[in-house]
Amino acid sequence: MGRNIKWVYLIVLSLIWGSSFILIKKGLVGLTPMQLGAIRIIFTGTFLFIIGFKRVKEIRNKEWKGIILTGLLGTFFPAFLFAFAETEIDSSIASILNSLVPLNTIIIGFLIFKMKSSKRQVMGVFVGLIGTIMLIMNGATLNPNQNYLYASLVIIATFMYAASTNIIKQHLQHVKALTIAVGNFVVIMIPAIIVLISTGFFKEETLTNEHLKPALLYMLLLSLFGTAVAKVLFNKLVQVSTPVFAVSVTYLMPIVAVFWGVLDGERFGFWQGFATIIILIGVYLAHKKKG
């Protein structure tokens, strides 16, 4: 069982994270993108504060700059960008574009943090870029009623995730994952509450909307499982396997997301599937160990 437990963690994580995109789509039925992003942050922050608020004391003054940046880039802005993107593009496409995070981590690491890249990594980035262009072009053809310019919002979010990952690697490597997460939400919780209030969420017409309760339930599931539970599972996965094996969750998430999307009536063509495989080959090349 000990040898197989890493596969259990990997599959459960893939199911949880792969399902997050359809939950965003369902949540948008009863919430505006701004409301959805804010509520997602507030729910997740509440869960994290319950289990680890005392961790804030562990953060030293010199670490707060990194905590603030990773909070904004790794959680705050992407929560809204994904919500706005999914008002126009399918949840399955958003999930596939999310797979660009490992490639963008290499690009940001090279451009900003002067980290060296191998020929294989550079090739992986180019292959991933070709796949991305194919995916967006084919998606725009298959779904002419959707505005595929909104795909750029997901791509911007993946660069933000990548920057956040590099900041953690460079400046917060010694800080525990839960401590970083709690610190992030200390920073972004109040701005999220201000955003929510400014959207008119507490007005009677919003609170009496019949779609509000299901939307809040979807956000509760996304916040509890997609962030709080998944974070613990991912840390466990890294401990019982290797970072390279843990990152392979990237390859399985789109499969789960596409399954949910097709089940929900989203159109997904052969060439989009082909483009997805090219993107994942790019991610594989960029992160494959030598030898």
Side-chain angles (χ1 to χ4, degrees), residues 28-49:
L28 285 167
V29 174
L31 297 164
T32 68
M34 293 298 280
Q35 289 168 349
L36 187 145
I39 286 170
R40 186 179 172 187
I41 291 166
I42 292 163
F43 281 177
T44 305
T46 303
F47 288 133
L48 285 170
F49 291 166

Side-chain angles (χ1 to χ4, degrees), residues 30-40 80 195-196 199-202 206 212 219:
L31 297 164
T32 68
M34 293 298 280
Q35 289 168 349
L36 187 145
I39 286 170
R40 186 179 172 187
F80 297 102
V195 168
L196 187 63
T199 64
F201 176 77
F202 296 100
T206 305
L212 180 63
M219 287 306 97

Side-chain angles (χ1 to χ4, degrees), residues 2 5-10 13 17 177 228-243 245-246:
I5 192 72
K6 66 179 182 180
W7 288 100
V8 175
Y9 286 140
L10 183 72
L13 259 179
W17 277 339
V229 172
K231 191 171 284 289
V232 175
L233 281 176
F234 187 74
N235 289 343
K236 285 278 188 186
L237 179 59
V238 173
Q239 287 169 354
V240 300
S241 61
T242 63
F245 182 85

Side-chain angles (χ1 to χ4, degrees), residues 8-289:
V8 175
Y9 286 140
L10 183 72
I11 291 165
V12 172
L13 259 179
S14 303
L15 289 170
I16 291 172
W17 277 339
S19 302
S20 62
F21 303 93
I22 195 74
L23 289 173
I24 293 171
K25 179 183 176 181
K26 293 295 185 185
L28 285 167
V29 174
L31 297 164
T32 68
M34 293 298 280
Q35 289 168 349
L36 187 145
I39 286 170
R40 186 179 172 187
I41 291 166
I42 292 163
F43 281 177
T44 305
T46 303
F47 288 133
L48 285 170
F49 291 166
I50 289 168
I51 61 173
F53 190 75
K54 58 187 177 185
R55 295 289 184 102
V56 177
K57 292 184 290 185
E58 297 174 12
I59 303 170
R60 291 177 289 187
N61 287 340
K62 64 178 183 179
E63 291 160 355
W64 273 108
K65 183 181 176 183
I67 295 287
I68 292 168
L69 283 172
T70 53
L72 293 172
L73 295 173
T75 302
F76 187 79
F77 293 122
F80 297 102
L81 288 169
F82 271 95
F84 274 105
E86 287 198 37
T87 61
E88 284 290 336
I89 64 170
D90 287 337
S91 62
S92 53
I93 300 302
S95 76
I96 296 161
L97 291 173
N98 186 61
S99 302
L100 294 171
V101 173
L103 297 183
N104 292 344
T105 303
I106 292 166
I107 294 170
I108 296 277
F110 175 76
L111 293 176
I112 297 175
F113 295 93
K114 304 293 183 276
M115 293 167 72
K116 290 181 180 177
S117 298
S118 67
K119 286 180 182 176
R120 184 190 278 124
Q121 285 179 321
V122 173
M123 186 166 76
V125 168
F126 275 109
V127 170
L129 179 64
I130 291 165
T132 303
I133 293 167
M134 281 181 64
L135 181 78
I136 293 171
M137 286 177 69
N138 281 294
T141 306
L142 192 66
N143 301 295
N145 59 321
Q146 295 180 8
N147 185 350
Y148 262 70
L149 287 174
Y150 278 67
S152 62
L153 299 179
V154 176
I155 295 170
I156 291 166
T158 63
F159 271 107
M160 288 184 173
Y161 283 145
S164 176
T165 302
N166 276 294
I167 291 166
I168 289 169
K169 189 77 179 167
Q170 294 288 319
H171 303 292
L172 300 171
Q173 181 79 355
H174 54 287
V175 184
K176 289 175 183 173
L178 182 59
T179 305
I180 295 170
V182 171
N184 289 160
F185 279 86
V186 165
V187 172
I188 66 176
M189 192 73 150
I190 292 173
I193 292 168
I194 292 169
V195 168
L196 187 63
I197 292 168
S198 71
T199 64
F201 176 77
F202 296 100
K203 289 181 179 176
E204 190 179 348
E205 60 260 38
T206 305
L207 296 176
T208 54
N209 183 346
E210 62 178 315
H211 299 296
L212 180 63
K213 283 184 180 176
L216 291 176
L217 179 61
Y218 291 130
M219 287 306 97
L220 201 63
L221 288 170
L222 179 61
S223 304
L224 177 58
F225 290 99
T227 304
V229 172
K231 191 171 284 289
V232 175
L233 281 176
F234 187 74
N235 289 343
K236 285 278 188 186
L237 179 59
V238 173
Q239 287 169 354
V240 300
S241 61
T242 63
V244 174
F245 182 85
V247 170
S248 61
V249 71
T250 308
Y251 309 116
L252 299 179
M253 279 165 53
I255 298 169
V256 176
V258 169
F259 168 78
W260 283 121
V262 171
L263 209 63
D264 198 51
E266 294 179 5
R267 297 179 70 194
F268 193 79
F270 169 81
W271 288 108
Q272 283 182 299
F274 184 67
T276 303
I277 292 167
I278 290 177
I279 291 172
L280 297 181
I281 288 171
V283 175
Y284 174 76
L285 285 172
H287 280 263
K288 183 178 181 289
K289 282 196 166 182

